[in-house]
Amino acid sequence: MRSLFFVVCALIVYGSLFPFDFVAVDFMATLGRRFESSLASMGRPTDLIGNIILFLPYGVTGVLAFGHKAPRMLTLVAGGLLLALLCQLLQVYLPSRTPALVDVVWNLAGMALGISYGLFFDVDRWRQRLAVPATPAHRRLHMHAAAFGLLGIYLLVSLSPWRFSADAGDFHWLPFAGLLTGSMIINVFTLLAKVGLLTAAAWMLRAVGWRGSIALVLVPLALTIELLQLWMPGKFAGLTNVLAAGIIALIIARLPLRNGSPRNSGTKPASATTRTARRDHRAALLMLGAGCAVVVLALAAIPHLPGVPYNALEMFAGGGMVDYAVFALALASMGIGPALAGRWLARTAPAFLVLPFYMLGTSVITYVLLDIAVTDESMHDIIGTTEFLRRVTQEHGAGARLIGAIGPDLLHPVVAFIEPWLRFSALVMPLLVPQVLAYAVSFRVMRSGRGPNARFWLTGLLLAALLMLALAKLITIDGAATDNLTELLETDGALGVGGWLPLYVLGVGIGSSAVAMAWTLAKGRIVYLAVLIAVAIVTVPLGWVLLTSGLADTVYKYGEEFSAVGFLLGPDRTTQLPELTLFLRWGLVQLALTGVLAYGGAVYLRWVAPTLSRRHRRENPSQARSEQAAAQRDPDDPNVLVNFTSDQLRFVDEHCAALGQSRNALINTLVHDSKLRMDSGDLTHETFSRRSGHGGANMLTSSFRPVVVQLDAGALLVVSGLANHSGISRSRAIRRLVALAMEKDSNRLQQPH
């Protein structure tokens, strides 16, 4: 822990004296002049917060390193005071820094907060919390894929927009130098996002047993990305990310594994359920890859077709296959995200409280992928500029006074970072909300049926969805930051409420149709899928009516007159296509959008197919029996599903409570005891074969409860041998052994003492 404390001290010195541009000056004269000039900025919130945070780790690590005794605490406080004063005095020789005595005060305040927290910090408890859970052997492949997938996202984000130049830029050797160029808040957010991706990937690699090899993956990857950024205009190539990757690798490698290391644990034979899950996961990944490949080929062919809308051509501006692939993933995420959110909502009681967060999370993923794939001009045309601060300031209300108190310069980078994806989320909300609702209801029905609280759950979810759509309309239509979309809408509409209502109804219809197709595609019901495709084709005219009702018939712009539908589906403003051609083009767009959303949802449903089948087993007895029979045919599976009678289960539970054992331990003991009885001649195969498996219970009136019993290696051999000799299943063999134990226990109690 002392090494960590000295690392914190080094970072404090580094941050205080950066960028190390020392010059020779008259110390006393410069000291008085610069301390006097610093009084004007002593109350800036940015300086206050920064100086407090700078010394907060000093107090925490100092207490953990040197203990709680009073002499050491005084030494720690004195050392912190000297360190803060020394850093401020050395800043006299740095023209780019402004020394201030008030900074020492805030440094001491941060140190005091850190010491207070360190006094109550339980190291052992946090060490246990930070222990990485070891991944089972049959899931290591999935964890590897997830870790390298995150590293792939880190690569895409770092090198976006993938535009290189012939001339190399400068490499900045000072770590964290890039944080001081441009907006510091945006730079810090970007750094934290990259650190989050690297930390998650390193955590997953540690969970599968990696240790020192984590640094051999993260550091070369970060260094390669920084070197490639030398030939990318607008990128800042330096050591910051490389150093962060190294620190993350070292920290994660030192974390202990919970429940032992998976590399040293024995390999557990995969059960039938595990093999089914692996097969479904591979099928889902193949579906995703095949779908993305089809979208990439279609995007590559579209620019060569005649009469393509110029807005579609400008989206990629000559982009390559990488941009097309990321765009395909963005489209797939609009189907995968709602399915994932719907499944989570089905397991959440107050679903209306978490629905907005799930919706924002789903749309943000799509926004990030689109921002990587398409040009900045196209994103700006759709979303518009950041207008929030300007509009609030012009109203001269409480909001304007609050902005003035905090500082527009401080808020502008934060708003510029958040407002675009909020506007994008509001724009795609009519497509996402119906999908999330339909998936949530479907998963809820499969999970627990209607249930006593289903009405309350569904009512709250519908009200939250309506509120989300109302907010989306408020942001997208009423508070639009660009006229590229609002000028195309019908002002009055068919019902006098504006053109947004037919378009919202159209989005709800496309989203709902996509969910129905996703379920049929995931379950492989080709006949039902063909019926739904036919219904989607038949409803294209209805979609056309809604589209034309929501868009303006005539738009005047740049001295030209054109229709909104012709502008969106035609090659340009001047070329007017026949209405039949526009109708056919819209039909292709509607069907393609429905198909992409359905395909994305089907990918996720196929991925979670094993989980769905296990949950559905409780609702469908015939399917449960077939799956149980299939599981019993697996001779290597130590997990046996046994249908105990109520009397047998009561007997087992009573003896478990008396002996302080689990059900698995007791049944394994009974199996081994039967082996000893057979070896001694007390129990024969003929006696076992004639024994009923229900222990004398009435088969018509007894209730059965399925229980999964996990056998050890020896017990598995005994039960399999008895089952094969008697021609019965392993489940019935275990029931007969329990019935024999019940009979033996009853005879012992009836004997006279």
Side-chain angles (χ1 to χ4, degrees), residues 199-214:
T199 303
W203 182 279
M204 293 178 179
L205 293 177
R206 182 73 184 104
V208 295
W210 289 42
R211 197 161 192 166
S213 303
I214 298 176

Side-chain angles (χ1 to χ4, degrees), residues 402-704:
L402 179 62
I403 292 175
I406 299 176
D409 296 335
L410 180 63
L411 287 177
H412 185 270
V414 179
V415 175
F417 179 78
I418 296 177
E419 186 175 350
W421 59 261
L422 276 177
R423 291 190 174 277
F424 178 82
S425 301
L427 183 64
V428 298
M429 205 62 68
L431 277 177
L432 300 183
V433 166
Q435 294 185 79
V436 172
L437 288 179
Y439 282 121
V441 172
S442 302
F443 282 115
R444 179 82 175 191
V445 171
M446 294 184 65
R447 181 173 180 264
S448 57
R450 284 191 258 179
N453 298 322
R455 185 174 300 176
F456 171 78
W457 177 85
L458 183 59
T459 302
L461 195 62
L462 289 175
L463 292 177
L466 292 176
L467 179 61
M468 293 289 294
L469 290 176
L471 290 176
K473 188 258 180 183
L474 182 66
I475 296 174
T476 308
I477 309 299
D478 301 335
T482 175
D483 60 352
N484 292 325
L485 295 178
T486 55
E487 66 183 0
L488 302 178
L489 298 180
E490 185 67 43
T491 55
D492 296 331
L495 301 177
V497 294
W500 63 271
L501 182 59
L503 296 181
Y504 272 40
V505 174
L506 177 61
V508 171
I510 292 177
S512 304
S513 177
V515 173
M517 287 187 183
W519 279 109
T520 55
L521 181 60
K523 294 182 177 181
R525 298 180 178 178
I526 306 301
V527 176
Y528 290 102
L529 180 61
V531 172
L532 290 176
I533 293 176
V535 171
I537 295 175
V538 172
T539 55
V540 168
L542 178 60
W544 172 257
V545 172
L546 292 173
L547 179 71
T548 54
S549 300
L551 297 180
D553 296 331
T554 304
V555 179
Y556 299 94
K557 191 171 184 179
Y558 303 128
E560 299 177 357
E561 179 181 341
F562 51 89
S563 66
V565 177
F567 171 73
L568 293 176
L569 301 176
D572 50 47
R573 300 187 187 92
T574 59
T575 305
Q576 299 295 326
L577 297 179
E579 185 174 358
L580 179 60
T581 303
L582 295 176
F583 171 75
L584 294 176
R585 289 192 174 197
W586 166 248
L588 291 176
V589 172
Q590 180 177 335
L591 294 176
L593 181 58
T594 306
V596 167
L597 298 179
Y599 199 83
V603 167
Y604 179 76
L605 295 177
R606 188 59 187 270
W607 180 271
V608 299
T611 306
L612 298 182
S613 62
R614 288 196 295 271
R615 287 178 178 173
H616 191 56
R617 184 182 301 154
R618 297 194 296 266
E619 307 295 333
N620 193 337
S622 61
Q623 183 180 355
R625 287 192 295 270
S626 63
E627 291 181 359
Q628 293 169 13
Q632 297 299 331
R633 289 194 295 269
D634 185 8
D636 298 327
D637 190 2
N639 299 312
V640 182
L641 195 145
V642 184
N643 291 311
F644 287 113
T645 65
S646 57
D647 294 334
Q648 290 174 339
L649 197 58
R650 189 182 305 111
F651 169 83
V652 171
D653 290 339
E654 289 176 354
H655 281 70
C656 287
L659 300 175
Q661 293 181 332
S662 64
R663 287 177 178 175
N664 292 332
L666 180 65
I667 292 175
N668 278 285
T669 303
L670 292 178
V671 173
H672 290 296
D673 181 64
S674 66
K675 178 67 167 59
L676 295 176
R677 293 177 62 190
M678 284 189 171
D679 293 340
S680 63
D682 186 24
L683 178 65
T684 62
H685 284 287
E686 289 74 20
T687 304
F688 177 83
S689 300
R690 290 195 303 267
R691 178 60 53 195
S692 171
H694 48 83
N698 190 340
M699 297 295 291
L700 297 178
T701 60
S702 295
S703 59
F704 290 86

Side-chain angles (χ1 to χ4, degrees), residues 103 147 167 199 270 289 689 717:
D103 291 349
D167 300 327
T199 303
S689 300
L717 290 176

Side-chain angles (χ1 to χ4, degrees), residues 337-355:
L340 174 62
R343 184 165 175 247
W344 285 347
L345 284 172
R347 297 183 292 181
T348 307
F352 60 93
L353 295 178
V354 297
L355 176 64

